[in-house]
Amino acid sequence: MTDAAGNARICGLRPRQEVTFTVRDEQGAPVRGGVGVPTRGSDVMFAEWR
């Protein structure tokens, strides 16, 4: 899910709940380095698109 500023948000995670996710491009293909990214509920992550 993205907000009005284009920030991605993972909703429904409890604090400290662990998941992995995949970052995809506009065509739905995984981006290089964006597969199996670990995260936990309440994590704050920053990324730079190049």
Side-chain angles (χ1 to χ4, degrees), residues 9-31:
R9 304 212 183 254
I10 299 174
C11 299
L13 291 181
R14 294 183 309 274
R16 312 295 289 175
Q17 180 182 1
E18 296 183 14
V19 298
T20 58
F21 66 93
T22 299
V23 179
R24 299 182 180 272
D25 64 18
E26 291 177 347
Q27 289 75 42
V31 299

